[in-house]
Amino acid sequence: MAKSFDDLRAELANEIKQSRRRLGLTQEALALQAEVDRTYVSQLERGIANPSILILHRISIVLGMDLLIGLQGTGGGQSPTTSRPLRKDRPD
């Protein structure tokens, strides 16, 4: 069974907080280096903010890690089985 959105957000929040602490960074230091507001880092770590891919990218660079929590499927190394074919009738 796939994880809920809230579960994924909580995992991401925990990973950001633990990684930041492991590097000895304050929320303010992480925010400055990732070019976001300190209050936003706090919201991320409490699991109440929904970061964009750009913000995740910036934070992952500062923390020196991938933040792809739960985005790799439900386990077993299998990719999702549902997909939509590309429509050929639309102009590029």
Side-chain angles (χ1 to χ4, degrees):
M1 180 178 200
K3 295 178 184 178
S4 74
F5 181 75
D6 289 337
D7 289 343
L8 292 173
R9 191 169 45 195
E11 284 183 34
L12 177 64
N14 187 50
E15 188 64 32
I16 290 171
K17 189 174 197 173
Q18 286 184 1
S19 297
R20 175 183 62 78
R21 286 180 171 175
R22 195 171 21 256
L23 292 173
L25 294 173
T26 63
Q27 287 181 344
E28 186 169 3
L30 173 57
L32 286 171
Q33 291 181 47
E35 300 177 12
V36 298
D37 194 86
R38 186 212 48 87
T39 59
Y40 191 68
V41 171
S42 173
Q43 291 172 358
L44 288 172
E45 290 185 357
R46 289 182 286 140
I48 60 174
N50 296 315
S52 68
I53 293 172
L54 175 61
I55 298 300
L56 285 177
H57 177 70
R58 288 178 183 172
I59 289 173
S60 69
I61 288 172
V62 174
L63 298 177
M65 60 185 305
D66 288 334
L67 294 175
L68 297 176
I69 306 300
L71 298 178
Q72 298 165 347
T74 57
Q78 299 176 355
S79 61
T81 57
T82 59
S83 63
R84 284 183 9 193
L86 295 175
R87 290 183 55 185
K88 300 284 184 178
D89 58 345
R90 292 189 327 187
D92 290 334

